[in-house]
Amino acid sequence: MLTDVSYFQARLGAVFSVAGAPPELGLALVLAEVEPSGNPQAFALTFQGPPAPELEQQTVELLRDGDAPLAIFLVPVARTAAGVQYHAVFNN
């Protein structure tokens, strides 16, 4: 199941591109953290993005070779020296 924590745990460190973003922007998000809970369908994800451009809070379609597109609601939560961190919460 796509929204099961094990799907994302297996992709920790994977790079996802944002659908519709021009390639010259280099807008790639790295799955930096998977925070499981006691329920395999309730978990949180942290993605690390570049310093610019910064995505606004919105639903984006993430693409990765070999996987189906993922529509995920991302919220920018922190700006670090590495770039912008985004958070997604699943609570099925």
Side-chain angles (χ1 to χ4, degrees):
M1 172 179 266
L2 208 54
T3 56
D4 188 286
V5 70
S6 63
Y7 173 87
F8 292 101
Q9 287 172 324
R11 286 155 181 82
L12 189 61
V15 177
F16 294 84
S17 60
V18 177
E24 62 272 11
L25 291 181
L27 185 52
L29 302 178
V30 176
L31 180 55
E33 186 175 4
V34 178
E35 299 173 52
S37 71
N39 176 348
Q41 292 184 335
F43 55 93
L45 306 174
T46 301
F47 290 90
Q48 179 66 52
E54 182 174 341
L55 296 171
E56 295 183 13
Q57 177 175 302
Q58 63 183 301
T59 299
V60 297
E61 187 174 57
L62 299 181
L63 307 172
R64 182 174 173 274
D65 287 343
D67 287 336
L70 298 168
I72 296 181
F73 187 76
L74 294 179
V75 178
V77 293
R79 182 174 282 284
T80 68
V84 180
Q85 291 183 339
Y86 299 92
H87 205 66
V89 175
F90 291 79
N91 191 13
N92 294 330

